[in-house]
């Protein structure tokens, strides 16, 4: 765990950033209005995404079942396009690609993450939970105001994050043109071991890339009426939850500190995991 410095920051992403990053029309305007958010003292967040080994200990001790199906990436034989398909027999133990114990756990839903956190809280006597969306973004930015904590040059990504890069594109035979793959090599086709890449200024690994991270809040289409004290926003569409930071499969516009995405809370997929947060 890493203590988060008390402070305030500008949360959100401007229309100008959405434009510059080539965010598709239907995904624009989700991270406005930008607003000042204050993070109270005493919060802490995981330095790493939760690993397969950590989730495995939870399952071994409790017998918890994280379902029997997961959305995996497959190439459609007819159209030759990659897309997500839900497959029985796939799950956090068998994702369809090689994962070591130190890789982030995937194929876990928001509810699975909450079950893990309840177990961890019982075991440790501390109150673990998912990060609020504000805490997550504060932690991801670590003082940076732009789209990414490593600065304005997208290709610097490959020393800071596991993203959709040249390695993945060549292994999976994607075309690089017009989808804004990161034009650098991070040397990982799928997930990477946690902590393999450089940290941001708060000492946190993989806040961008590797796996999308579940957030405590309910989903709202923009920040009108959102809390400004760092607490989770628990009204709105609670069947959907934010997932932040992009993943190993994400092209440039999906890998932004202020960018937002949502998933149905029961969704289990090969690019989604979580990290933990803790109150004082
Ligand atoms: Ca990669
Ligand atoms: Ca991540």
């Amino acid at each position: 765990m890493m203590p988060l410095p008390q402070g305030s920051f500008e949360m959100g992403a401007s229309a100008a950033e959405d434009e510059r990053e080539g965010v598709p029309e239907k995904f624009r305007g989700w991270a406005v209005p930008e607003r000042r958010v204050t993070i109270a003292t005493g919060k802490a967040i995981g330095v790493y995404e939760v690993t397969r080994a950590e989730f495995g200990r939870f399952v071994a001790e409790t017998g918890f079942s994280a379902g029997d199906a997961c959305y995996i990436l497959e190439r459609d034989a007819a159209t030759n396009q990659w897309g997500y398909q839900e497959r029985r027999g796939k799950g956090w133990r068998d994702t369809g690609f090689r994962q070591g114990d130190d890789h982030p756990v995937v194929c876990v839903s928001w509810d699975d993450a909450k079950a893990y956190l309840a177990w961890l809280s019982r075991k440790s006597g501390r109150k673990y939970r998912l990060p609020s969306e504000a805490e997550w973004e504060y932690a991801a930015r670590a003082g940076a105001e732009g789209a990414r904590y490593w600065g304005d040059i997208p290709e610097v990504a490959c020393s800071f994050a596991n993203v959709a890069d040249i390695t993945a594109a060549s292994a999976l035979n994607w075309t690089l043109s017009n989808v804004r793959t990161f034009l650098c090599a991070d040397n990982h086709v799928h997930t990477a071991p946690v902590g393999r890449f450089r940290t941001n200024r708060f000492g946190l690994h993989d806040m961008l890339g590797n796996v999308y991270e579940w957030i405590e809040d309910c989903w709202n289409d923009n920040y009108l009426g959102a809390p400004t004290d760092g607490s989770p926003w628990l009204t709105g569409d609670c069947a959907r939850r934010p997932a932040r930071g992009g993943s190993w499969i994400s092209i440039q516009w999906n890998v932004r500190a202020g960018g937002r995405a949502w998933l149905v809370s029961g969704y289990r997929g090969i690019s989604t995991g979580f990290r933990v947060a803790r109150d004082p």
Side-chain angles (χ1 to χ4, degrees), residues 2-17:
M2 181 68 79
L4 281 176
Q6 191 280 332
S8 64
F9 77 114
E10 205 68 29
M11 182 172 177
S14 66
E17 182 184 304

Side-chain angles (χ1 to χ4, degrees), residues 54 57-58 61-62 116-128:
E54 289 164 336
R57 273 201 293 282
F58 157 61
E61 280 192 25
T62 61
Y116 173 88
L117 290 158
W119 167 79
L120 185 61
S121 298
R122 274 198 310 276
K123 217 175 147 61
S124 65
R126 311 279 310 255
K127 179 82 185 77
Y128 285 90

